[in-house]
Amino acid sequence: MADETCIFCRILAGEIPAQVVYEDENALVIRDIQPVAPDHVLVISKEHLASLDDCTDEQTALLGRLQLLAAKIARELGIDKGGYRLVNNCGDEGGQTVPHLHYHLLGGRRMMWPPG
């Protein structure tokens, strides 16, 4: 169920414009408006789940599809050869700023460790 206060639900509903990279029945992939890497896209679940913590066994297939989609998008962006990072922030201390399940796909530069 969509949340009318959620920015990603509003983007999914077409109320807020976004630079769409890819869309299917499970996900929307958009460019991040505040990129931290040359290639920085968001892989957003179309199902409104506040975070990974809200997922159950019912979302196992969805979570797998989102991660495989991220790998597909990495190949399409050409960042698969050099490497990329796929990040899911969960909760305030984890850095999550939008309470809607999504992954950050980052590439195009060397990633540092530790990340935070």
Side-chain angles (χ1 to χ4, degrees):
M1 177 173 33
D3 176 346
E4 67 232 14
T5 65
C6 171
I7 190 167
F8 288 163
C9 286
R10 294 183 65 206
I11 289 170
L12 287 164
E15 296 172 15
I16 297 174
Q19 189 176 354
V20 176
V21 173
Y22 177 88
E23 183 173 11
D24 66 21
E25 66 278 0
N26 299 302
L28 179 69
V29 180
I30 63 173
R31 296 240 172 235
D32 194 300
I33 61 170
Q34 296 179 319
V36 297
D39 284 299
H40 184 173
V41 297
L42 305 174
V43 180
I44 304 168
S45 167
K46 284 193 171 178
E47 180 179 351
H48 180 84
L49 297 153
S51 76
L52 189 58
D53 274 343
D54 290 336
C55 294
T56 66
D57 288 344
E58 290 182 22
Q59 282 80 33
T60 299
L62 171 65
L63 295 170
R65 283 194 288 272
L66 294 174
Q67 290 189 47
L68 291 174
L69 175 58
K72 174 186 173 178
I73 298 299
R75 288 188 298 275
E76 290 178 2
L77 294 173
I79 59 175
D80 59 315
K81 301 293 187 252
Y84 57 91
R85 182 169 286 166
L86 184 62
V87 177
N88 173 264
N89 299 322
C90 193
D92 289 338
E93 289 188 19
Q96 185 178 11
T97 58
V98 178
H100 186 116
L101 179 66
H102 65 285
Y103 291 87
H104 294 258
L105 175 60
L106 305 145
R109 68 166 174 82
R110 179 167 293 285
M111 299 293 145
M112 307 305 289
W113 195 261

